[in-house]
């Protein structure tokens, strides 16, 4: 009995040490991976990583992780000299194959959601334009200051915000297009207003490689996007 008791005590101690070492290792790996992702994406904000599964050490030794959840804040994409900022991106990466040096990996598949506040959407629009909720899902209110026939005017339009195919044929863009333009019967006014209120913005360049936009809607808080992809690059050199 004394022998069995000693064996049990030793097993408990070793088990506790293993669990402690495993939790320390996963915490270290999460921090390192977050740093890699932040550097790769050029984040203006932060990156948080949560590695699922126990034990972590056996997953790490095999270079295969079951699931990695990532939260990114302040993701910026630059297209045509303009920056479009994703306020927040939450993504789950499944079946992650780690690089040989553990600097990152590639997920078999991934899905997630992104959020763009109206403040960030305003920053991504034209100069002198503000964007707000349009009253119903999928609609935004765009208010623009413009010059027409020597006069300074302010016009507000309700616009549809949706995903459209990128001109390159690869990926999606966010498109804002006015449903109607006030005073459009005045010759030339519609062109002047739409030049301010209508715009396309690409954000694919700010996403992890392989992650694509799939759906978009808007509500009182801002614009919500769904994303998915296969062979998605999580991080790396």
């Amino acid at each position: 009995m004394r022998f069995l008791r000693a064996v049990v005590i030793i097993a408990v101690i070793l088990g506790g040490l293993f669990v402690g070492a495993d939790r320390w290792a996963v915490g270290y790996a999460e921090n390192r991976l977050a740093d890699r992702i932040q550097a790769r994406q050029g984040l203006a904000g932060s990156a948080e990583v949560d590695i699922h599964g126990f034990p972590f050490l056996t997953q790490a030794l095999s270079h295969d992780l079951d699931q990695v959840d990532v939260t990114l804040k302040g993701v910026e994409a630059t297209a045509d000299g303009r920056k479009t900022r994703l306020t927040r991106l939450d993504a789950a990466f499944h079946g992650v194959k780690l690089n040989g040096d553990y600097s990152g990996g590639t997920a078999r598949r991934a899905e997630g959601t992104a959020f763009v506040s109206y403040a960030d959407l305003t920053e991504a629009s034209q100069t002198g334009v503000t964007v707000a909720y349009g009253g119903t899902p999928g609609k935004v209110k765009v208010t623009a200051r413009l010059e027409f026939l020597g006069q300074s005017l302010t016009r507000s339009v309700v616009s549809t915000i949706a995903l459209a195919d990128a001109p390159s044929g690869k990926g999606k863009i966010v498109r804002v297009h006015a449903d109607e333009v006030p005073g459009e019967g005045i010759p030339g006014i519609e062109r002047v207003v739409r030049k301010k209120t209508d715009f396309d913005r690409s954000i694919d360049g700010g996403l992890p490689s392989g992650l694509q936009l799939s759906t978009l809607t808007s509500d009182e808080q801002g614009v919500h996007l769904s994303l998915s992809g296969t062979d998605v690059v999580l991080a790396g050199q």
Side-chain angles (χ1 to χ4, degrees), residues 200-211:
D200 295 342
R201 291 293 177 264
S202 172
I203 63 174
D204 282 355
L207 301 176
S209 179
L211 203 57

Side-chain angles (χ1 to χ4, degrees), residues 129-143:
V129 170
T130 59
V131 184
Y133 182 49
T136 57
K139 300 293 183 180
V140 293
K141 180 181 178 181
V142 183
T143 302

Side-chain angles (χ1 to χ4, degrees), residues 129-215:
V129 170
T130 59
V131 184
Y133 182 49
T136 57
K139 300 293 183 180
V140 293
K141 180 181 178 181
V142 183
T143 302
R145 298 190 304 273
L146 52 96
E147 296 291 329
F148 183 70
L149 299 179
Q151 294 186 359
S152 180
L153 306 175
T154 299
R155 288 290 183 269
S156 294
V157 297
V158 174
S159 301
T160 297
I161 182 168
L163 293 180
D165 292 331
S168 64
K170 296 181 180 179
K172 299 287 186 179
I173 57 173
V174 176
R175 173 165 291 167
V176 175
H177 184 79
D179 296 343
E180 294 181 4
V181 175
E184 59 185 352
I186 303 173
I189 188 68
E190 181 173 4
R191 179 184 60 81
V192 173
V193 173
R194 286 192 180 279
K195 188 175 181 180
K196 280 283 191 177
T197 61
D198 292 4
F199 57 91
D200 295 342
R201 291 293 177 264
S202 172
I203 63 174
D204 282 355
L207 301 176
S209 179
L211 203 57
Q212 303 290 330
L213 302 174
S214 54
T215 63

Side-chain angles (χ1 to χ4, degrees), residues 5-223:
R5 184 179 299 173
V7 170
V8 170
I9 292 173
I10 292 172
V12 170
I13 293 173
L14 291 176
L17 291 173
F18 175 78
V19 171
D22 191 81
R23 294 302 87 192
W24 177 88
V26 74
Y28 177 80
E30 287 171 346
N31 291 334
R32 290 286 292 168
L33 192 53
D35 290 342
R36 291 284 187 178
I37 293 172
Q38 186 157 2
R40 179 183 176 88
Q41 299 302 130
L43 295 184
S46 62
E48 298 175 7
V49 173
D50 182 17
I51 299 175
H52 291 250
F54 179 82
F56 163 73
L57 290 172
T58 56
Q59 295 185 77
L61 288 173
S62 65
H63 286 76
D64 289 306
L65 302 180
D66 293 336
Q67 180 177 331
V68 178
D69 291 345
V70 176
T71 297
L72 306 180
K73 297 178 182 178
V75 182
E76 289 186 344
T78 301
D80 301 324
R82 273 199 167 277
K83 287 184 178 181
T84 304
R85 180 185 177 101
L86 291 178
T87 310
R88 181 184 176 103
L89 169 67
D90 294 283
F93 298 80
H94 304 276
V96 178
K97 187 68 176 179
L98 294 172
N99 300 340
D101 60 358
Y102 296 96
S103 64
T106 301
R108 185 174 62 255
R109 64 181 177 87
E111 69 275 338
T113 59
F115 172 71
V116 183
S117 69
Y118 289 119
D120 282 331
L121 189 58
T122 294
E123 287 293 321
S125 63
Q126 315 285 359
T127 302
V129 170
T130 59
V131 184
Y133 182 49
T136 57
K139 300 293 183 180
V140 293
K141 180 181 178 181
V142 183
T143 302
R145 298 190 304 273
L146 52 96
E147 296 291 329
F148 183 70
L149 299 179
Q151 294 186 359
S152 180
L153 306 175
T154 299
R155 288 290 183 269
S156 294
V157 297
V158 174
S159 301
T160 297
I161 182 168
L163 293 180
D165 292 331
S168 64
K170 296 181 180 179
K172 299 287 186 179
I173 57 173
V174 176
R175 173 165 291 167
V176 175
H177 184 79
D179 296 343
E180 294 181 4
V181 175
E184 59 185 352
I186 303 173
I189 188 68
E190 181 173 4
R191 179 184 60 81
V192 173
V193 173
R194 286 192 180 279
K195 188 175 181 180
K196 280 283 191 177
T197 61
D198 292 4
F199 57 91
D200 295 342
R201 291 293 177 264
S202 172
I203 63 174
D204 282 355
L207 301 176
S209 179
L211 203 57
Q212 303 290 330
L213 302 174
S214 54
T215 63
L216 178 153
T217 189
S218 64
D219 60 16
E220 294 89 342
Q221 283 73 46
V223 178

